[in-house]
Amino acid sequence: MEAFLFFTCGALMLLGGVMMVLQRSAVVAALWLVFAFIAAAGVFAALSAPFVAIMQVLVYAGAIMVLFLFVIMMLHGPVLDGERKRLPLPMWPAVAIPPLAVLVLVGGWLSGRKAEALPAAPEGFGAPAQIANLLLGRYLLAFELISIVLLVALIGALTLGLRERKLPWS
Amino acid sequence: MKLMYDFFTGQLGLGAAGANITVAAVMAVIMFTVMALCAIILTWMERKVAGFMQSRYGPMYTGRFHGWAQAVADMLKILGKEDIIPAEADKGLFKFAPILVLLGSLLAWAAIPWAPDFVAADFDLGLFYIFAVSSLVVIGILMAGWASNNKWSLYGAARGAAQMISYEIPLALAVVPVVMRAGSLNPQDIVIAQQGGIWHWNINPITNPFLFIAFFMYFIASIAETNRGPFDMPETESELVAGYHTEYTGMRFAFFFLAEYANLFLVSMIAALVFLGGWWAPFPGMGWIPPALNFIIKGVLLVFLNMWVRWTLPRVRVDQLMHLCWKVMIPVSLLCVVGAGVWMMAWGQLK
């Protein structure tokens, strides 16, 4: 059951990613990315990590992608017209990624059938309590450093955005 | 749920997987029916409340008794309308947006505990799940606004997205103290932790004053989250026609309408189960009232409060709305979380 969920969601996630790259309209591409994120949440759920799965939907699909869409819509996101046939050169390596990913998935599925002896997740695995203990205990330093990086990025973006205006303290 | 499961396995001889799937399907149909019914009843209620607030009667003629059939007549009218898609619209997105909006609230309804043994999806992260799936509604609203290819729709959608994302933060933060108190994210556990009458409910200011403040934070944020007055910036009739659903007609408009009232009842039910004791009766001797009835009465009373606010206060401006959220409600909610934790440690209430 879990293997079935994992591979279905994995395939859907790949589909979302491929469709996103193929879209001509930036808005539709962003919506396919939302689809891929939700499928990724399904993968996490199948790996008995329900908290991460819900976080994926809440943060990525619910908040970050809305901000993406917001910006794309405000800037009248680009819609490619139908003339271009050939991909520009730097895009070519990217084309190889989806087939490779499909290969990995199929390979995993085939080998997963044989390997039955996957150990079951321990009691309380992926529960909020365990994640909190790890984040605010063992990995506290990394957790705080990441918050500082995000804060610096936020202030940096604000400063860049305010460049044109006269700053109140200058 | 257990009863239904036993019925399918025992009486009908289904296997465990088959019975689980059947129970899920039956619960989905029940939830959708209740949702549609609640939208119809709340529409009528809103009209009567609006009439009462404005010293008039509201609907009086359809169906003889206080116009009770007005909502049914309106629903039939909406279903009979022509389905128009604007020529310049993005057709796929235009069709998909109302479904996504409705899907977000229907998914959230699944985790609501109506009674001790009646919850469609009973799992440990239920409360968290409710907030996660209801954030999908924002994407639906943005899609609707953009796909309509109408500047009023786009303005409405942009306002709606900004507002809903901002108010999601105090909404979720206000619930955190309760989660700390119950020691669980499972809605059913949170309700069970409030057993034993009105003074054991989480809202009781003597047990923990910070939970009392958190209830009001939640209530204000929930009004903004459902895009209703005085925070109905996404649909301001006087400036944006009807906001993100300006171009929608017929069945697709009905979906938005249904989702609006389903969301209104959803946030009220969450407030009832988190702060007001869920399906517990208010006083110990009242055990004869069916739990689900207790719960629905609490939900409807909160909906009434919501309508009261809507028809009493004038609309705020966009900057006032954002000011209230980021500079008042988020700091106060954060203080509530810290304060509730300190209070619980001081009085030894932590689990």
Side-chain angles (χ1 to χ4, degrees):
Chain A
M1 183 64 193
E2 264 146 23
F4 172 75
L5 252 180
F6 176 80
F7 288 110
T8 317
C9 291
L12 285 178
M13 192 166 83
L14 270 182
L15 175 77
V18 171
M19 290 303 283
M20 186 207 110
V21 177
L22 294 180
Q23 292 308 315
R24 290 183 174 280
S25 148
V27 173
V28 185
L31 290 170
W32 274 108
L33 194 55
V34 173
F35 180 83
F37 281 149
I38 294 172
V43 171
F44 285 129
L47 293 173
S48 48
F51 185 80
V52 183
I54 294 177
M55 218 40 165
Q56 175 86 11
V57 175
L58 186 72
V59 173
Y60 284 91
I64 292 184
M65 282 320 291
V66 173
L67 292 182
F68 270 42
L69 280 171
F70 213 69
V71 173
I72 295 172
M73 286 174 184
M74 287 296 116
L75 299 178
H76 284 278
V79 179
L80 303 177
D81 39 9
E83 290 299 314
R84 264 193 353 216
K85 293 237 167 54
R86 245 173 7 139
L87 288 168
L89 200 60
M91 289 282 280
W92 280 111
V95 176
I97 294 171
L100 276 178
V102 171
L103 259 178
V104 171
L105 253 184
V106 171
W109 185 54
L110 290 177
S111 59
R113 277 178 151 180
K114 275 172 266 165
E116 291 291 322
L118 211 67
E123 182 67 25
F125 177 80
Q130 199 200 15
I131 290 176
N133 278 336
L134 285 177
L135 268 189
L136 302 177
R138 193 170 162 195
Y139 299 109
L140 182 64
L141 183 66
F143 181 69
E144 290 299 331
L145 283 179
I146 288 172
S147 342
I148 290 171
V149 168
L150 287 177
L151 186 67
V152 169
L154 196 71
I155 295 171
L158 204 63
T159 319
L160 286 177
L162 282 175
R163 195 178 44 189
E164 302 295 321
R165 284 193 226 155
K166 199 163 160 49
L167 296 172
W169 55 84
S170 63
Chain B
M1 294 297 294
K2 184 79 171 58
L3 215 73
M4 209 190 285
Y5 183 82
D6 288 345
F7 174 76
F8 286 126
T9 44
Q11 303 283 318
L12 301 183
L14 286 173
N20 270 331
I21 291 171
T22 325
V23 169
V26 170
M27 286 306 287
V29 172
I30 292 176
M31 282 298 137
F32 194 76
T33 319
V34 174
M35 198 166 138
L37 267 179
C38 125
I40 292 173
I41 295 167
L42 291 187
T43 326
W44 177 76
M45 182 175 153
E46 174 120 270
R47 288 186 167 156
K48 294 308 275 190
V49 173
F52 177 65
M53 297 293 165
Q54 297 167 348
S55 296
R56 56 185 174 87
Y57 285 122
M60 280 307 277
Y61 296 103
T62 326
R64 294 287 170 85
F65 176 75
H66 276 270
W68 68 270
Q70 187 62 49
V72 180
D74 275 351
M75 198 191 61
L76 292 175
K77 178 198 75 176
I78 280 181
L79 294 185
K81 278 193 172 179
E82 187 188 356
D83 178 29
I84 301 169
I85 299 178
E88 294 292 307
D90 187 320
K91 296 202 174 46
L93 289 185
F94 190 84
K95 287 179 186 166
F96 186 56
I99 299 173
L100 191 63
V101 170
L102 192 63
L103 187 75
S105 38
L106 184 60
L107 280 175
W109 271 56
I112 297 287
W114 294 81
D117 200 31
F118 194 80
V119 44
D122 183 13
F123 62 107
D124 282 345
L125 293 164
L127 201 60
F128 196 35
Y129 159 86
I130 292 174
F131 287 117
V133 289
S134 46
S135 69
L136 290 180
V137 173
V138 187
I139 295 179
I141 286 177
L142 264 180
M143 269 166 78
W146 191 79
S148 301
N149 209 349
N150 170 331
K151 60 181 92 149
W152 309 129
S153 299
L154 187 57
Y155 279 138
R159 281 182 181 182
Q163 172 177 337
M164 289 172 85
I165 286 193
S166 309
Y167 276 88
E168 228 163 58
I169 302 167
L171 192 78
L173 281 178
V175 173
V176 170
V178 175
V179 174
M180 282 154 64
R181 174 128 190 253
S184 167
L185 276 164
N186 189 336
Q188 196 69 277
D189 289 349
I190 290 174
V191 174
I192 290 169
Q194 304 175 57
Q195 183 181 6
I198 200 163
W199 47 90
H200 286 286
W201 293 356
N202 282 332
I203 194 176
N204 186 352
I206 300 161
T207 343
N208 194 333
F210 293 99
L211 288 181
F212 185 70
I213 305 171
F215 171 73
F216 291 96
M217 288 295 121
Y218 178 88
F219 185 72
I220 297 170
S222 75
I223 298 176
E225 193 66 15
T226 46
N227 295 336
R228 289 169 58 82
F231 304 123
D232 54 349
M233 301 312 298
E235 310 172 18
T236 47
E237 298 90 347
S238 46
E239 17 185 312
L240 294 182
V241 191
Y244 54 86
H245 51 58
T246 304
E247 298 285 0
Y248 281 88
T249 57
M251 192 64 198
R252 296 186 214 288
F253 174 75
F255 269 36
F256 280 114
F257 203 68
L258 189 61
E260 186 185 333
Y261 282 96
N263 270 330
L264 171 62
F265 200 48
L266 175 76
V267 291
S268 303
M269 284 191 298
I270 297 171
L273 78 88
V274 168
F275 294 101
L276 302 179
W279 35 259
W280 291 111
F283 297 102
M286 295 168 84
W288 47 271
I289 305 176
L293 190 64
N294 269 325
F295 187 51
I296 291 171
I297 289 173
K298 285 172 193 173
V300 170
L301 281 178
L302 281 167
V303 168
F304 174 72
L305 199 61
N306 203 314
M307 289 175 177
W308 189 353
V309 170
R310 175 178 177 182
W311 293 102
T312 309
L313 299 175
R315 186 179 292 138
V316 300
R317 285 198 317 262
V318 179
D319 60 318
Q320 290 168 333
L321 181 88
M322 287 298 156
H323 179 274
L324 178 68
C325 179
W326 291 98
K327 294 189 182 165
V328 181
M329 293 195 42
I330 291 180
V332 173
S333 310
L334 279 172
L335 270 181
C336 272
V337 174
V338 177
V342 172
W343 182 277
M344 277 183 252
M345 276 169 88
W347 297 96
Q349 294 170 341
L350 272 184
K351 289 210 171 177

